[in-house]
Amino acid sequence: MEATLNKQDLILSAALSLFADRGFDGTTVPMIAEAAKVGAGTIYRYFENKEALVNTLFEQGTLALTEATVGQLYQEGDDVRTQFRHFFYGMVTFAKQDINGLHFLVTHAQGWYLTLENKQLFEQLQKGLYAFCDYGIEQKMIRSVSSPVLIAIVFGAFKELYNAVRLGGVVLSAELIEQVEECCWNAIEYKK
């Protein structure tokens, strides 16, 4: 059983890296097999086809990102600013665990190959983030701008930062992460 899990994990890891770098259409099953050091037939033992493989990765990634971000919101007794910090550092934790995972989710969220269930799962993640922004607006802690725009500002900056890290152009330190978090908050903070 252990060897089975290892091969499946190798396939998932190789596929995630390739899908993040090359996209869905630019990645073939033989490429995944070569990167995972398994035969192409082995992939089909675990996944019906490439679409099933990408959907498995997308579901896993979306659930993990949801737990790391939305799961960190609404901590009892925390104000909106503190909740935002939890959310931001949740994204940092998610990206640190597998930097390709963040890029993969962002670049595949609108993929034609995603199942309806995965599209809905991603929409739930977005709705959770929008609800937080709406709550922050009500509390007069977050600017009165549409929630999708607020999330685009924060998530867009975060995504581009981690893409630069992924490509080797930026080296992160705790101090830099703290500065970026502060900049993202300043971008959406309600100004009296």
Side-chain angles (χ1 to χ4, degrees), residues 69-83:
T69 56
V70 177
Q72 300 304 309
L73 298 174
Y74 308 112
Q75 302 293 323
E76 192 171 327
D78 286 345
D79 65 10
V80 173
R81 175 65 180 102
T82 303
Q83 289 178 35

Side-chain angles (χ1 to χ4, degrees), residues 148-179:
V149 172
L150 293 166
I151 293 303
I153 290 167
V154 173
F155 195 71
F158 185 85
K159 173 188 71 87
E160 289 304 317
L161 171 68
Y162 270 86
N163 197 41
V165 170
R166 190 176 75 85
L167 296 174
V170 172
V171 176
L172 286 180
S173 65
E175 181 181 358
L176 180 58
I177 291 171
E178 189 176 315
Q179 290 171 345

Side-chain angles (χ1 to χ4, degrees), residues 18-33:
L18 287 165
F19 286 141
D21 286 341
R22 303 176 60 87
F24 178 80
D25 292 325
T27 301
T28 65
V29 170
M31 287 174 173
I32 297 168

Side-chain angles (χ1 to χ4, degrees), residues 40-61:
T42 302
I43 292 174
Y44 292 110
R45 285 191 206 138
Y46 299 101
F47 305 98
E48 183 179 340
N49 51 37
K50 186 170 76 166
E51 288 84 357
L53 177 52
V54 80
N55 274 283
T56 297
L57 286 167
F58 194 84
E59 178 181 8
Q60 289 176 351

Side-chain angles (χ1 to χ4, degrees), residues 130-151:
Y130 298 161
F132 169 71
C133 289
D134 293 341
Y135 174 73
I137 291 167
E138 286 174 19
Q139 299 298 309
K140 297 207 180 305
M141 293 287 296
I142 295 178
R143 292 174 192 256
S144 184
V145 177
S146 79
S147 294
V149 172
L150 293 166
I151 293 303

